[in-house]
Amino acid sequence: MAEEVSNKQVVLKNYVTGYPKESDMQIITSSIKLKIPEGTQNAVLLKNLYFSCDPYMQGRMTKLDTPSFAPSFQPGDGYGVVKILDSTHPNYKKGDLARGFTGWEEYTLAVDPQALIKIEQTDLPLSYYTGILGMPGVTAYAGFYELCSPKKGEYFYVLAASGAVGQIVGQLAKLLGCYAVGSAGSKEKVDLLKNNFRFDETFNYKEEPDLDAALKRYFPEGIDIYFENVGGKMLDAVLLNMRIRGRIAVCGMISQNNQEKPEGVHNLASVIGKRIRMEGFLADDFYQLYPKFLETVIPYIKQGKIVSVEDVAEGLESGPTSLVGLFFGRNVGKQLLVVYRE
Amino acid sequence: MAEEVSNKQVVLKNYVTGYPKESDMQIITSSIKLKIPEGTQNAVLLKNLYFSCDPYMQGRMTKLDTPSFAPSFQPGDGYGVVKILDSTHPNYKKGDLARGFTGWEEYTLAVDPQALIKIEQTDLPLSYYTGILGMPGVTAYAGFYELCSPKKGEYFYVLAASGAVGQIVGQLAKLLGCYAVGSAGSKEKVDLLKNNFRFDETFNYKEEPDLDAALKRYFPEGIDIYFENVGGKMLDAVLLNMRIRGRIAVCGMISQNNQEKPEGVHNLASVIGKRIRMEGFLADDFYQLYPKFLETVIPYIKQGKIVSVEDVAEGLESGPTSLVGLFFGRNVGKQLLVVYRE
């Protein structure tokens, strides 16, 4: 007889409006047999180890009138690192590790899992596959190298610089020889930027009443590359400070995720005279880069040239709080959730 | 003795604020000798034939705190077609025709003229060198081919479609096999779009209380390419209707030129999920394309595959009115000014 165990799950009670709230989610407990049912082909039984908490999840928790880039919402969906406990799938065997989409629960039975990728390199912390070696890492790498055409000596800015993507893209910019300025919203985070991620200049944007003036101070020559994940009035200030032929890679506009009507961006006409290129992207479009990305980033990590700072929440019960915290900047570094350590 | 003649000039009385007003300019009359003064080398004496009226001129008439893409204002500057009456410049001889920057006056003495290009092909109307064969033509050509990566069968939209640039880019899109929709602000202009420029669909945007709804009607599949020359709330409606991997080439945002604080654009976050690329440009950056552009466009013109509709004002005295009219959409087609016909 297969062992039957209890299985805690985070489920969505309602579609969210604006930022997710803890009360939109609940923890329930069901039970699950730790064996794939007789006759079920191409299935894997997963033990969920680490979950990534990411801003894009808001979109998947929201009822959309028009189709969006993400598939329609499935309660409990999340990106994580998993261990295969049982498999009838030819690509996986018991004991394999993988990363990809799974349920926000302790154990998941997945039939025909399309969205899992086996983890081959296991001599780095497995949690890294939710961040620096996962989607945030690819977002930083693809946005920087594929969209921004970066060159040594260029002036680089990322506003939310201590988060999952910001910390990586800032370090990539530094490694290429850019002059990198990063900002964040608290002293603790700004300290990270300076001490851990080695930005050339750092500041707390919440202490700057006039972001335009702050940018003029930190970028007397202007900004060549802006990695956009905030939007709204922040983007407006950046537009005033971009250089001729500046590039803006847009992977998010988190400041706008809670606005019924998003803030207006008033300085867009700057793109004409300055010949600015602004381009939106999703990490998903660049998964073919993943092997090259790992080849580049893993040696940097092993040599200590790129570091990762994680904000680790313990236990599935902490899931709602740690996800919600993202939208208020409560996380210090890449937010993730440990269910089981391996 | 050289003949001395009177020389009417349009001069700026004051830097303009917002759109230029007729009262910002005045007509004065001085006199000029139709011969280059003894001992003046590398000079040309120009008879100004045609002047182009273009929205960018507002920027050159405005006092700027920060350096802009255009050189600082010189009273009476303008782009036009000229005839060389006298020359001590090795590249020009009496009787040559050229296009480029000259004064808004009947005759101009230019020493070391950098911004003139000789007109070699004179079997087309010379006025075309202010429009379809001049800066608006290169703007349309470079923006469409260099920035928009257009493909046959794609959905193309230009909002101000009857103007100097809009009419050309629409016809380029049609010739490539795009589905081209153009709009304009009066029945007369919309008739031009349909009858002269052969857009697939046309509409009067002033009669559409909800531009988003209008675009959904004309583009049930969405817009692949938007040629942006308007900005503001128009851009907002377009953003909602762009397709995945849509491209927006931005050569102007004329609706914003008169706003003390430009209107906000609220739907910019669309660029992320839809992976939209938006890029500003200036025709000046693409002058190396000019020979290729002429090679492409002149045969089309001769075969009647691209037509030009001009709105021709007569006489230098009409200059201020015809320039100001641009900003209120009074021109029907490419606005130009004839000083002397050749």
Side-chain angles (χ1 to χ4, degrees):
Chain A
M1 272 299 285
E3 186 190 359
E4 179 152 340
V5 297
S6 81
N7 189 21
K8 260 182 288 189
Q9 302 176 292
V10 178
V11 298
L12 197 69
K13 282 199 293 192
N14 328 290
Y15 283 116
V16 308
T17 308
Y19 292 146
K21 298 181 297 298
E22 291 170 51
S23 59
D24 294 323
M25 293 167 264
Q26 63 180 333
I27 313 280
I28 62 171
T29 303
S30 60
S31 69
I32 187 168
K33 281 194 177 138
L34 293 187
K35 186 147 186 51
I36 295 170
E38 199 76 34
T40 307
Q41 295 304 307
N42 288 319
V44 283
L45 183 76
L46 309 174
K47 182 177 185 182
N48 297 307
L49 309 179
Y50 299 95
F51 287 117
S52 182
C53 300
D54 298 297
Y56 81 87
M57 295 171 76
Q58 178 186 347
R60 305 192 76 178
M61 298 165 82
T62 305
K63 186 167 187 170
L64 299 170
D65 296 329
T66 51
S68 169
F69 56 89
S72 62
F73 171 75
Q74 297 293 325
D77 254 20
Y79 189 91
V81 173
V82 302
K83 183 173 185 177
I84 315 293
L85 296 186
D86 190 13
S87 172
T88 60
H89 191 290
N91 296 354
Y92 300 96
K93 62 176 196 306
K94 185 173 169 179
D96 280 350
L97 293 161
R99 60 187 187 81
F101 284 93
T102 181
W104 267 43
E105 56 196 352
E106 291 174 282
Y107 302 96
T108 300
L109 176 66
V111 179
D112 201 15
Q114 302 289 338
L116 284 183
I117 298 172
K118 218 187 282 187
I119 294 174
E120 310 285 355
Q121 185 127 11
T122 56
D123 59 345
L124 288 168
L126 285 177
S127 61
Y128 281 15
Y129 288 96
T130 68
I132 190 165
L133 297 177
M135 203 149 35
V138 175
T139 302
Y141 182 83
F144 187 63
Y145 282 109
E146 299 293 309
L147 275 79
C148 293
S149 321
K151 286 182 286 296
K152 189 177 168 172
E154 287 194 320
Y155 297 97
F156 172 91
Y157 179 52
V158 57
L159 196 143
S162 69
V165 176
Q167 60 176 249
I168 304 168
V169 73
Q171 294 178 91
L172 290 174
K174 278 301 298 169
L175 282 165
L176 185 73
C178 292
Y179 181 84
V181 179
S183 54
S186 73
K187 183 179 181 312
E188 186 183 5
K189 295 181 189 180
V190 170
D191 286 346
L192 275 187
L193 300 184
K194 194 83 185 176
N195 303 331
N196 299 56
F197 307 134
R198 303 177 208 132
F199 280 87
D200 291 294
E201 290 285 351
T202 60
F203 65 95
N204 182 342
Y205 61 80
K206 288 191 181 158
E207 288 176 355
E208 296 291 344
D210 180 345
L211 188 59
D212 175 33
L215 291 175
K216 287 192 167 42
R217 225 161 51 232
Y218 291 105
F219 293 100
E221 308 283 329
I223 301 167
D224 292 297
I225 298 175
Y226 174 53
F227 205 89
E228 166 66 311
N229 48 18
V230 177
K233 64 172 81 72
M234 309 292 206
L235 177 56
D236 253 343
V238 168
L239 282 166
L240 294 177
N241 289 282
M242 290 298 290
R243 299 183 87 187
I244 302 277
R245 296 188 202 289
R247 288 133 273 151
I248 301 178
V250 189
C251 69
M253 291 191 172
I254 196 171
S255 72
Q256 305 306 298
N257 290 23
N258 203 33
Q259 311 279 344
E260 202 151 321
K261 179 173 184 180
E263 272 179 278
V265 173
H266 299 271
N267 298 326
L268 261 189
S270 300
V271 306
I272 307 163
K274 294 179 177 178
R275 293 83 136 182
I276 292 169
R277 188 175 75 217
M278 183 186 299
E279 192 167 355
F281 73 105
L282 300 175
D284 280 354
D285 297 332
F286 293 98
Y287 265 86
Q288 76 286 2
L289 284 182
Y290 197 73
K292 193 174 156 206
F293 159 70
L294 290 185
E295 259 172 52
T296 308
V297 170
I298 286 178
Y300 281 143
I301 297 175
K302 291 188 172 173
Q303 295 157 25
K305 289 184 178 168
I306 292 189
V307 300
S308 170
V309 173
E310 298 176 334
D311 190 330
V312 183
E314 299 283 337
L316 204 63
E317 299 82 351
S318 312
T321 307
S322 52
L323 178 59
V324 169
L326 279 183
F327 298 93
F328 300 93
R330 289 192 205 119
N331 56 307
V332 179
K334 159 68 193 166
Q335 180 68 55
L336 64 98
L337 189 62
V338 189
V339 188
Y340 290 109
R341 288 182 202 277
E342 283 281 318
Chain B
M1 271 301 286
E3 186 190 357
E4 178 150 342
V5 297
S6 81
N7 189 22
K8 260 181 290 193
Q9 302 175 294
V10 178
V11 297
L12 196 69
K13 282 198 293 192
N14 329 291
Y15 282 116
V16 308
T17 308
Y19 292 146
K21 297 178 298 298
E22 292 171 48
S23 59
D24 294 323
M25 293 167 265
Q26 63 181 332
I27 314 281
I28 64 170
T29 304
S30 60
S31 70
I32 188 168
K33 281 194 177 142
L34 294 188
K35 189 149 182 50
I36 294 170
E38 200 76 34
T40 307
Q41 295 304 306
N42 288 321
V44 284
L45 184 75
L46 308 174
K47 182 178 185 181
N48 296 307
L49 309 179
Y50 298 95
F51 286 117
S52 182
C53 300
D54 298 295
Y56 81 87
M57 295 170 75
Q58 179 188 346
R60 304 192 76 177
M61 298 164 82
T62 305
K63 185 166 187 172
L64 298 170
D65 295 329
T66 50
S68 169
F69 57 90
S72 61
F73 171 75
Q74 297 293 326
D77 254 19
Y79 188 90
V81 174
V82 302
K83 184 174 183 176
I84 315 293
L85 295 187
D86 190 12
S87 172
T88 59
H89 191 289
N91 296 356
Y92 299 97
K93 61 177 196 306
K94 185 174 169 177
D96 280 350
L97 294 161
R99 61 185 187 81
F101 283 94
T102 180
W104 266 43
E105 56 195 352
E106 291 175 282
Y107 301 96
T108 300
L109 176 66
V111 179
D112 202 15
Q114 303 288 338
L116 284 184
I117 298 172
K118 218 187 281 188
I119 295 175
E120 310 285 356
Q121 185 127 10
T122 57
D123 59 346
L124 288 168
L126 285 178
S127 61
Y128 281 16
Y129 287 95
T130 67
I132 189 165
L133 297 178
M135 202 146 38
V138 175
T139 302
Y141 182 83
F144 187 64
Y145 282 109
E146 300 293 310
L147 276 79
C148 292
S149 323
K151 286 181 288 295
K152 188 176 168 174
E154 287 196 318
Y155 298 98
F156 171 90
Y157 179 52
V158 57
L159 196 143
S162 69
V165 176
Q167 58 176 250
I168 303 168
V169 73
Q171 293 179 90
L172 291 175
K174 280 299 298 168
L175 282 165
L176 184 73
C178 292
Y179 181 84
V181 179
S183 54
S186 74
K187 183 179 181 314
E188 186 183 6
K189 294 181 190 179
V190 171
D191 287 346
L192 275 187
L193 299 185
K194 193 82 185 176
N195 303 331
N196 298 56
F197 307 134
R198 302 177 209 134
F199 279 87
D200 291 293
E201 290 285 351
T202 61
F203 66 94
N204 182 342
Y205 61 80
K206 288 190 181 159
E207 288 176 354
E208 296 291 345
D210 180 347
L211 187 60
D212 175 33
L215 291 175
K216 287 193 167 41
R217 228 164 46 234
Y218 290 105
F219 293 99
E221 308 284 328
I223 301 167
D224 291 299
I225 298 175
Y226 175 54
F227 205 90
E228 166 66 311
N229 49 18
V230 177
K233 64 173 81 71
M234 309 293 206
L235 176 56
D236 253 342
V238 168
L239 282 167
L240 294 177
N241 288 280
M242 290 299 288
R243 298 183 88 187
I244 301 276
R245 297 188 202 290
R247 287 133 273 151
I248 301 178
V250 189
C251 69
M253 291 192 172
I254 196 172
S255 72
Q256 305 307 299
N257 290 24
N258 203 34
Q259 311 279 345
E260 201 152 320
K261 178 172 184 180
E263 271 178 278
V265 173
H266 299 271
N267 298 326
L268 261 190
S270 300
V271 307
I272 307 163
K274 295 179 177 178
R275 294 83 137 181
I276 292 169
R277 188 175 74 216
M278 182 186 300
E279 192 166 355
F281 74 105
L282 300 175
D284 279 355
D285 296 332
F286 293 97
Y287 265 86
Q288 76 286 2
L289 283 183
Y290 197 74
K292 192 175 157 205
F293 159 69
L294 289 184
E295 259 173 51
T296 308
V297 169
I298 286 178
Y300 282 143
I301 297 175
K302 290 188 172 172
Q303 296 157 25
K305 289 184 178 169
I306 292 189
V307 299
S308 170
V309 172
E310 297 177 335
D311 190 331
V312 183
E314 298 282 338
L316 205 64
E317 299 83 350
S318 311
T321 307
S322 52
L323 178 59
V324 170
L326 278 183
F327 297 93
F328 299 93
R330 291 194 201 116
N331 56 307
V332 179
K334 160 67 194 168
Q335 181 68 56
L336 63 98
L337 189 63
V338 188
V339 187
Y340 291 109
R341 287 182 202 277
E342 284 281 320

